[in-house]
Amino acid sequence: MPFSVVTILLYAFAFVSSALVFYYLYFFARLAFYKPQNSVSADQSSLSIIVCARNEEKNLEQNVPVLLEQAYEAPHELLVVNDNSEDNTKMIMQWMAREKEGLKLINMEREAQLNIGKKYPLSIGIRESKYSHLLLTDADCVPASNQWAAKMQSAFEPGIEIVLGYGPYEKQEGWLNRIIRFETFHSALQYLSYALAGLAYMGVGRNLSYTKELFSRHKGFASINHLPGGDDDLFIKKAVTATNTAIMIDAEAHTISQPKKTWSDWKRQKTRHYSTSKYYKPQHKFLLGLYSLSQFLFYPLLVAAFVFNWQLALILFIVKSAIQYVVFSNAMKKLNEADLTKWIFVMDFWMFFYYLFFANTLWKKEKKTW
């Protein structure tokens, strides 16, 4: 006897519920119950902190002094790459470089006009850096403490070449802020958990560290220079192995950014970020795609299943939600986002609309700008 539509719907709901529980327990629980080593190693590597900027005079004026106050004992430097800024970035940074020890300014003027995105100025910064380890952040990011550099570098144990950090957005009032912060947490939940499972696929340029030797060995961004993005996720995708990547989630090792103030600005930002996902490895595209599809289908199928078999629908909903709450709430505490715990299920429901909102990024052509 052929399957009825009702049977197919119930099986589909059972499948997506089971798939989500699998992701919660196999991947995300690794971060939720992760026990990090928070001690700072006395044996620190020499370090170059690199910030690329275009028209960021206000952020640089505010954040560069904080970057220079890092409590790091080994030799280190701060390089600011000014990529063809049209504001007062050059003047302000030249003044700072004269006054601040350990600060080096690299001005790029007209030589990068035919290059797209952030990769070229970042490559120049890495080429000009003096030290063996690289620590990357953005001009609009500020370290959560003066232990940021030391904490990030403490994760470099033997065999580790990449350290993935967390870059949250500042906590402010309003729904847009909660949505931005939840989406940032949710992305980190995935890439940090996958890294703990030996399947790292990306990092974020707001808080990322790797060795200069690794960058040279993989010929930098040569294979992705034609793309506007990818300086963090696509390079990491290329350079990671199952054993050369670590994470650092200590609250003192975060870098904090100012969130967008309008929905349209946030959508433009996220569209740019998602434009590189089509270039991920097939394994990662499958795993990330199955998770996203399961999230997207869960609530429509829940409604359908509830109509035809409310007992089954209720049981699966309770089991899935209970496991999700335990895993997500613990992960939020790990990432210093505990205030989002009360919004877990509201945000989970919102994700259905989120995927609708950004579905066109899968085929939309990338803009060739920062």
Side-chain angles (χ1 to χ4, degrees), residues 132-184:
S132 60
H133 283 211
L134 310 171
L135 180 55
L136 314 180
T137 191
D138 290 337
D140 62 345
C141 298
V142 60
S145 77
N146 68 352
Q147 295 296 311
W148 166 61
K151 292 279 187 178
M152 286 292 290
Q153 298 311 296
S154 69
F156 279 99
E157 298 177 347
I160 297 299
E161 299 177 292
I162 301 169
V163 175
L164 309 179
Y166 181 49
Y169 286 93
E170 185 178 75
K171 300 175 183 179
Q172 298 175 359
E173 293 298 320
W175 275 105
L176 179 59
N177 182 259
R178 293 188 189 102
I179 287 172
I180 290 174
R181 289 177 50 228
F182 179 83
E183 190 279 330
T184 302

Short mmCIF file of all heavy atoms in Angstrom, two decimals, residues 132-184:
data_model
loop_
_atom_site.label_atom_id
_atom_site.label_comp_id
_atom_site.label_asym_id
_atom_site.label_seq_id
_atom_site.Cartn_x
_atom_site.Cartn_y
_atom_site.Cartn_z
N SER A 132 56.21 35.51 14.08
CA SER A 132 55.81 34.18 13.62
C SER A 132 54.32 33.91 13.71
O SER A 132 53.76 33.14 12.94
CB SER A 132 56.55 33.10 14.42
OG SER A 132 56.25 33.23 15.82
N HIS A 133 53.65 34.55 14.67
CA HIS A 133 52.22 34.35 14.85
C HIS A 133 51.46 35.62 14.46
O HIS A 133 51.92 36.74 14.74
CB HIS A 133 51.90 33.98 16.30
CG HIS A 133 52.24 32.56 16.62
ND1 HIS A 133 51.54 31.82 17.56
CD2 HIS A 133 53.18 31.73 16.14
CE1 HIS A 133 52.04 30.60 17.63
NE2 HIS A 133 53.05 30.53 16.78
N LEU A 134 50.30 35.41 13.84
CA LEU A 134 49.47 36.52 13.38
C LEU A 134 48.15 36.51 14.14
O LEU A 134 47.53 35.46 14.30
CB LEU A 134 49.19 36.38 11.88
CG LEU A 134 50.40 36.15 10.98
CD1 LEU A 134 49.96 35.81 9.56
CD2 LEU A 134 51.33 37.37 10.98
N LEU A 135 47.72 37.67 14.59
CA LEU A 135 46.43 37.82 15.27
C LEU A 135 45.65 38.90 14.55
O LEU A 135 46.10 40.05 14.45
CB LEU A 135 46.65 38.19 16.74
CG LEU A 135 45.41 38.37 17.61
CD1 LEU A 135 44.50 37.15 17.57
CD2 LEU A 135 45.80 38.69 19.06
N LEU A 136 44.48 38.53 14.04
CA LEU A 136 43.72 39.42 13.17
C LEU A 136 42.45 39.90 13.85
O LEU A 136 41.77 39.15 14.55
CB LEU A 136 43.34 38.69 11.88
CG LEU A 136 44.44 37.90 11.17
CD1 LEU A 136 43.90 37.24 9.92
CD2 LEU A 136 45.64 38.78 10.85
N THR A 137 42.13 41.16 13.61
CA THR A 137 40.86 41.72 14.03
C THR A 137 40.51 42.85 13.07
O THR A 137 41.27 43.17 12.16
CB THR A 137 40.88 42.19 15.49
OG1 THR A 137 39.55 42.49 15.91
CG2 THR A 137 41.77 43.39 15.68
N ASP A 138 39.34 43.46 13.28
CA ASP A 138 38.88 44.54 12.41
C ASP A 138 38.96 45.88 13.13
O ASP A 138 39.00 45.93 14.37
CB ASP A 138 37.45 44.29 11.94
CG ASP A 138 37.36 43.13 10.96
OD1 ASP A 138 38.37 42.82 10.31
OD2 ASP A 138 36.26 42.54 10.84
N ALA A 139 38.92 46.94 12.35
CA ALA A 139 39.05 48.28 12.92
C ALA A 139 37.90 48.62 13.85
O ALA A 139 38.06 49.42 14.78
CB ALA A 139 39.14 49.31 11.80
N ASP A 140 36.73 48.02 13.63
CA ASP A 140 35.57 48.35 14.48
C ASP A 140 35.43 47.40 15.66
O ASP A 140 34.39 47.38 16.32
CB ASP A 140 34.29 48.35 13.66
CG ASP A 140 33.99 46.98 13.04
OD1 ASP A 140 34.89 46.12 13.01
OD2 ASP A 140 32.84 46.78 12.59
N CYS A 141 36.46 46.62 15.92
CA CYS A 141 36.44 45.68 17.05
C CYS A 141 37.36 46.15 18.16
O CYS A 141 38.45 46.68 17.90
CB CYS A 141 36.91 44.29 16.60
SG CYS A 141 35.88 43.52 15.35
N VAL A 142 36.93 45.92 19.39
CA VAL A 142 37.76 46.26 20.54
C VAL A 142 37.91 45.02 21.41
O VAL A 142 36.94 44.30 21.66
CB VAL A 142 37.14 47.43 21.35
CG1 VAL A 142 35.76 47.07 21.87
CG2 VAL A 142 38.07 47.86 22.47
N PRO A 143 39.13 44.70 21.84
CA PRO A 143 39.31 43.54 22.72
C PRO A 143 38.53 43.69 24.02
O PRO A 143 38.40 44.79 24.57
CB PRO A 143 40.82 43.53 22.99
CG PRO A 143 41.42 44.29 21.84
CD PRO A 143 40.40 45.34 21.49
N ALA A 144 38.01 42.58 24.51
CA ALA A 144 37.23 42.60 25.74
C ALA A 144 38.11 42.87 26.96
O ALA A 144 37.61 43.27 28.01
CB ALA A 144 36.48 41.29 25.92
N SER A 145 39.41 42.64 26.83
CA SER A 145 40.33 42.87 27.95
C SER A 145 41.75 43.03 27.41
O SER A 145 42.00 42.80 26.22
CB SER A 145 40.28 41.70 28.94
OG SER A 145 41.00 40.58 28.42
N ASN A 146 42.66 43.39 28.31
CA ASN A 146 44.07 43.47 27.89
C ASN A 146 44.74 42.10 27.86
O ASN A 146 45.94 42.00 27.60
CB ASN A 146 44.85 44.44 28.80
CG ASN A 146 45.01 43.91 30.22
OD1 ASN A 146 44.42 42.88 30.60
ND2 ASN A 146 45.79 44.60 31.03
N GLN A 147 43.96 41.05 28.10
CA GLN A 147 44.46 39.67 28.03
C GLN A 147 44.08 39.00 26.70
O GLN A 147 44.38 37.82 26.51
CB GLN A 147 43.89 38.85 29.19
CG GLN A 147 44.35 39.30 30.56
CD GLN A 147 45.86 39.13 30.74
OE1 GLN A 147 46.41 38.07 30.44
NE2 GLN A 147 46.52 40.17 31.22
N TRP A 148 43.45 39.74 25.81
CA TRP A 148 42.99 39.15 24.55
C TRP A 148 44.11 38.45 23.80
O TRP A 148 43.99 37.26 23.46
CB TRP A 148 42.37 40.26 23.68
CG TRP A 148 42.17 39.87 22.24
CD1 TRP A 148 41.38 38.86 21.76
CD2 TRP A 148 42.74 40.51 21.09
NE1 TRP A 148 41.44 38.82 20.38
CE2 TRP A 148 42.26 39.82 19.95
CE3 TRP A 148 43.61 41.60 20.92
CZ2 TRP A 148 42.63 40.20 18.65
CZ3 TRP A 148 43.96 41.97 19.63
CH2 TRP A 148 43.48 41.27 18.52
N ALA A 149 45.19 39.15 23.53
CA ALA A 149 46.29 38.57 22.75
C ALA A 149 46.89 37.37 23.47
O ALA A 149 47.14 36.32 22.86
CB ALA A 149 47.36 39.63 22.47
N ALA A 150 47.12 37.52 24.77
CA ALA A 150 47.73 36.43 25.53
C ALA A 150 46.83 35.20 25.57
O ALA A 150 47.30 34.06 25.44
CB ALA A 150 48.05 36.90 26.96
N LYS A 151 45.54 35.41 25.76
CA LYS A 151 44.60 34.28 25.80
C LYS A 151 44.54 33.57 24.44
O LYS A 151 44.55 32.34 24.37
CB LYS A 151 43.21 34.78 26.19
CG LYS A 151 43.09 35.29 27.61
CD LYS A 151 42.93 34.17 28.60
CE LYS A 151 42.63 34.72 29.99
NZ LYS A 151 42.43 33.64 30.98
N MET A 152 44.44 34.34 23.38
CA MET A 152 44.37 33.73 22.05
C MET A 152 45.63 32.93 21.75
O MET A 152 45.57 31.82 21.21
CB MET A 152 44.16 34.81 20.99
CG MET A 152 42.76 35.39 20.95
SD MET A 152 41.49 34.20 20.40
CE MET A 152 41.90 34.04 18.65
N GLN A 153 46.78 33.46 22.13
CA GLN A 153 48.03 32.76 21.83
C GLN A 153 48.26 31.55 22.73
O GLN A 153 49.00 30.63 22.38
CB GLN A 153 49.21 33.73 21.93
CG GLN A 153 49.15 34.87 20.93
CD GLN A 153 48.88 34.41 19.52
OE1 GLN A 153 49.69 33.70 18.92
NE2 GLN A 153 47.74 34.81 18.96
N SER A 154 47.60 31.54 23.89
CA SER A 154 47.78 30.39 24.80
C SER A 154 47.19 29.12 24.24
O SER A 154 47.50 28.02 24.71
CB SER A 154 47.14 30.70 26.17
OG SER A 154 45.72 30.75 26.06
N ALA A 155 46.33 29.23 23.23
CA ALA A 155 45.74 28.03 22.62
C ALA A 155 46.68 27.35 21.63
O ALA A 155 46.40 26.25 21.15
CB ALA A 155 44.43 28.40 21.91
N PHE A 156 47.81 28.00 21.31
CA PHE A 156 48.77 27.40 20.38
C PHE A 156 49.63 26.38 21.11
O PHE A 156 50.71 26.68 21.60
CB PHE A 156 49.66 28.48 19.76
CG PHE A 156 49.01 29.20 18.62
CD1 PHE A 156 48.42 30.44 18.82
CD2 PHE A 156 49.01 28.67 17.35
CE1 PHE A 156 47.83 31.12 17.76
CE2 PHE A 156 48.42 29.34 16.28
CZ PHE A 156 47.83 30.56 16.49
N GLU A 157 49.13 25.18 21.16
CA GLU A 157 49.89 24.06 21.69
C GLU A 157 50.62 23.37 20.54
O GLU A 157 50.40 23.71 19.37
CB GLU A 157 48.95 23.09 22.41
CG GLU A 157 48.23 23.72 23.60
CD GLU A 157 47.26 22.77 24.26
OE1 GLU A 157 46.96 21.72 23.65
OE2 GLU A 157 46.81 23.09 25.37
N PRO A 158 51.52 22.41 20.82
CA PRO A 158 52.22 21.72 19.73
C PRO A 158 51.26 21.15 18.69
O PRO A 158 50.30 20.47 19.04
CB PRO A 158 52.98 20.61 20.46
CG PRO A 158 53.24 21.18 21.82
CD PRO A 158 52.01 21.99 22.14
N GLY A 159 51.52 21.45 17.43
CA GLY A 159 50.68 20.95 16.34
C GLY A 159 49.55 21.89 15.94
O GLY A 159 48.93 21.71 14.89
N ILE A 160 49.27 22.89 16.76
CA ILE A 160 48.19 23.84 16.46
C ILE A 160 48.74 24.99 15.62
O ILE A 160 49.73 25.61 15.97
CB ILE A 160 47.55 24.38 17.75
CG1 ILE A 160 46.90 23.23 18.54
CG2 ILE A 160 46.51 25.45 17.42
CD1 ILE A 160 45.79 22.51 17.80
N GLU A 161 48.06 25.28 14.52
CA GLU A 161 48.46 26.37 13.63
C GLU A 161 47.39 27.43 13.47
O GLU A 161 47.66 28.51 12.95
CB GLU A 161 48.79 25.80 12.24
CG GLU A 161 49.95 24.81 12.22
CD GLU A 161 50.16 24.23 10.83
OE1 GLU A 161 49.28 23.48 10.36
OE2 GLU A 161 51.21 24.55 10.23
N ILE A 162 46.16 27.12 13.90
CA ILE A 162 45.04 28.04 13.75
C ILE A 162 44.27 28.09 15.08
O ILE A 162 44.00 27.04 15.67
CB ILE A 162 44.08 27.58 12.64
CG1 ILE A 162 44.80 27.49 11.28
CG2 ILE A 162 42.87 28.50 12.53
CD1 ILE A 162 43.97 26.79 10.22
N VAL A 163 43.91 29.27 15.51
CA VAL A 163 43.06 29.43 16.70
C VAL A 163 41.85 30.28 16.30
O VAL A 163 42.00 31.40 15.79
CB VAL A 163 43.81 30.10 17.86
CG1 VAL A 163 42.86 30.35 19.03
CG2 VAL A 163 44.98 29.23 18.32
N LEU A 164 40.67 29.73 16.51
CA LEU A 164 39.43 30.41 16.21
C LEU A 164 38.90 31.09 17.47
O LEU A 164 38.73 30.44 18.50
CB LEU A 164 38.38 29.42 15.69
CG LEU A 164 38.81 28.50 14.55
CD1 LEU A 164 37.66 27.55 14.17
CD2 LEU A 164 39.26 29.29 13.34
N GLY A 165 38.63 32.37 17.38
CA GLY A 165 38.08 33.11 18.51
C GLY A 165 36.63 33.48 18.28
O GLY A 165 36.03 33.14 17.25
N TYR A 166 36.08 34.20 19.23
CA TYR A 166 34.68 34.63 19.16
C TYR A 166 34.63 36.14 19.14
O TYR A 166 35.32 36.81 19.92
CB TYR A 166 33.91 34.08 20.35
CG TYR A 166 32.43 34.44 20.36
CD1 TYR A 166 31.64 34.26 19.25
CD2 TYR A 166 31.82 34.96 21.51
CE1 TYR A 166 30.28 34.57 19.25
CE2 TYR A 166 30.46 35.27 21.54
CZ TYR A 166 29.70 35.08 20.39
OH TYR A 166 28.37 35.39 20.39
N GLY A 167 33.82 36.69 18.24
CA GLY A 167 33.67 38.14 18.13
C GLY A 167 32.22 38.56 18.28
O GLY A 167 31.54 38.75 17.27
N PRO A 168 31.72 38.69 19.49
CA PRO A 168 30.31 39.08 19.69
C PRO A 168 30.08 40.55 19.40
O PRO A 168 31.02 41.33 19.23
CB PRO A 168 30.09 38.78 21.18
CG PRO A 168 31.44 38.99 21.79
CD PRO A 168 32.42 38.52 20.77
N TYR A 169 28.80 40.90 19.36
CA TYR A 169 28.41 42.30 19.20
C TYR A 169 27.98 42.86 20.54
O TYR A 169 27.49 42.13 21.41
CB TYR A 169 27.30 42.43 18.16
CG TYR A 169 27.80 42.24 16.76
CD1 TYR A 169 27.77 40.99 16.15
CD2 TYR A 169 28.33 43.31 16.04
CE1 TYR A 169 28.25 40.81 14.86
CE2 TYR A 169 28.81 43.15 14.75
CZ TYR A 169 28.77 41.89 14.16
OH TYR A 169 29.27 41.71 12.90
N GLU A 170 28.16 44.14 20.70
CA GLU A 170 27.85 44.80 21.97
C GLU A 170 26.37 44.63 22.32
O GLU A 170 25.50 44.70 21.46
CB GLU A 170 28.18 46.29 21.87
CG GLU A 170 28.00 47.05 23.18
CD GLU A 170 28.40 48.50 23.03
OE1 GLU A 170 27.62 49.26 22.42
OE2 GLU A 170 29.47 48.87 23.52
N LYS A 171 26.11 44.42 23.59
CA LYS A 171 24.74 44.25 24.07
C LYS A 171 24.06 45.60 24.19
O LYS A 171 24.51 46.49 24.90
CB LYS A 171 24.76 43.55 25.44
CG LYS A 171 25.41 42.17 25.40
CD LYS A 171 25.53 41.55 26.78
CE LYS A 171 26.26 40.21 26.71
NZ LYS A 171 26.42 39.58 28.04
N GLN A 172 22.96 45.74 23.46
CA GLN A 172 22.17 46.96 23.48
C GLN A 172 20.70 46.60 23.57
O GLN A 172 20.32 45.44 23.55
CB GLN A 172 22.46 47.79 22.21
CG GLN A 172 23.90 48.23 22.07
CD GLN A 172 24.19 48.92 20.75
OE1 GLN A 172 23.31 49.06 19.90
NE2 GLN A 172 25.43 49.36 20.56
N GLU A 173 19.85 47.61 23.67
CA GLU A 173 18.42 47.38 23.76
C GLU A 173 17.83 47.16 22.36
O GLU A 173 18.39 47.59 21.36
CB GLU A 173 17.73 48.57 24.43
CG GLU A 173 18.10 48.76 25.90
CD GLU A 173 17.68 47.57 26.75
OE1 GLU A 173 16.58 47.03 26.51
OE2 GLU A 173 18.45 47.19 27.64
N GLY A 174 16.69 46.48 22.32
CA GLY A 174 15.96 46.36 21.08
C GLY A 174 16.02 44.98 20.45
O GLY A 174 16.95 44.19 20.71
N TRP A 175 15.02 44.68 19.62
CA TRP A 175 14.93 43.37 18.98
C TRP A 175 16.01 43.15 17.94
O TRP A 175 16.52 42.04 17.79
CB TRP A 175 13.55 43.19 18.35
CG TRP A 175 12.55 42.69 19.34
CD1 TRP A 175 11.56 43.41 19.94
CD2 TRP A 175 12.48 41.38 19.89
NE1 TRP A 175 10.86 42.62 20.82
CE2 TRP A 175 11.40 41.37 20.81
CE3 TRP A 175 13.21 40.21 19.70
CZ2 TRP A 175 11.05 40.23 21.53
CZ3 TRP A 175 12.86 39.07 20.41
CH2 TRP A 175 11.80 39.09 21.31
N LEU A 176 16.36 44.18 17.20
CA LEU A 176 17.40 44.01 16.20
C LEU A 176 18.70 43.59 16.86
O LEU A 176 19.41 42.69 16.36
CB LEU A 176 17.60 45.29 15.40
CG LEU A 176 18.71 45.23 14.33
CD1 LEU A 176 18.43 44.12 13.32
CD2 LEU A 176 18.86 46.58 13.63
N ASN A 177 19.03 44.18 17.99
CA ASN A 177 20.25 43.81 18.70
C ASN A 177 20.20 42.36 19.16
O ASN A 177 21.19 41.62 19.04
CB ASN A 177 20.48 44.73 19.89
CG ASN A 177 21.77 44.41 20.64
OD1 ASN A 177 21.74 43.76 21.69
ND2 ASN A 177 22.89 44.84 20.08
N ARG A 178 19.05 41.92 19.69
CA ARG A 178 18.94 40.53 20.12
C ARG A 178 19.09 39.58 18.94
O ARG A 178 19.75 38.53 19.05
CB ARG A 178 17.58 40.30 20.80
CG ARG A 178 17.40 41.03 22.11
CD ARG A 178 16.12 40.60 22.81
NE ARG A 178 15.84 41.46 23.95
CZ ARG A 178 14.94 42.43 23.95
NH1 ARG A 178 14.22 42.65 22.86
NH2 ARG A 178 14.74 43.15 25.03
N ILE A 179 18.47 39.94 17.83
CA ILE A 179 18.55 39.07 16.64
C ILE A 179 19.98 39.01 16.12
O ILE A 179 20.49 37.91 15.78
CB ILE A 179 17.58 39.58 15.55
CG1 ILE A 179 16.15 39.25 15.97
CG2 ILE A 179 17.90 38.96 14.20
CD1 ILE A 179 15.10 39.88 15.08
N ILE A 180 20.66 40.14 16.05
CA ILE A 180 22.05 40.16 15.58
C ILE A 180 22.93 39.32 16.49
O ILE A 180 23.75 38.51 16.04
CB ILE A 180 22.57 41.61 15.51
CG1 ILE A 180 21.89 42.35 14.36
CG2 ILE A 180 24.09 41.64 15.33
CD1 ILE A 180 22.22 43.84 14.31
N ARG A 181 22.74 39.49 17.79
CA ARG A 181 23.59 38.77 18.74
C ARG A 181 23.27 37.27 18.73
O ARG A 181 24.18 36.44 18.85
CB ARG A 181 23.42 39.35 20.14
CG ARG A 181 24.06 40.74 20.28
CD ARG A 181 23.82 41.35 21.64
NE ARG A 181 24.17 40.39 22.67
CZ ARG A 181 23.39 40.08 23.72
NH1 ARG A 181 22.20 40.68 23.85
NH2 ARG A 181 23.78 39.21 24.60
N PHE A 182 21.99 36.92 18.60
CA PHE A 182 21.65 35.50 18.53
C PHE A 182 22.22 34.87 17.26
O PHE A 182 22.77 33.76 17.30
CB PHE A 182 20.14 35.28 18.58
CG PHE A 182 19.76 33.82 18.50
CD1 PHE A 182 19.76 33.03 19.64
CD2 PHE A 182 19.43 33.24 17.28
CE1 PHE A 182 19.44 31.67 19.56
CE2 PHE A 182 19.10 31.90 17.20
CZ PHE A 182 19.11 31.11 18.34
N GLU A 183 22.10 35.55 16.13
CA GLU A 183 22.63 35.00 14.88
C GLU A 183 24.14 34.85 14.97
O GLU A 183 24.70 33.86 14.47
CB GLU A 183 22.23 35.92 13.72
CG GLU A 183 22.52 35.36 12.34
CD GLU A 183 23.95 35.53 11.93
OE1 GLU A 183 24.59 36.51 12.37
OE2 GLU A 183 24.47 34.67 11.17
N THR A 184 24.82 35.80 15.61
CA THR A 184 26.27 35.71 15.79
C THR A 184 26.61 34.53 16.69
O THR A 184 27.55 33.77 16.40
CB THR A 184 26.81 37.01 16.39
OG1 THR A 184 26.46 38.10 15.53
CG2 THR A 184 28.32 36.95 16.54
#
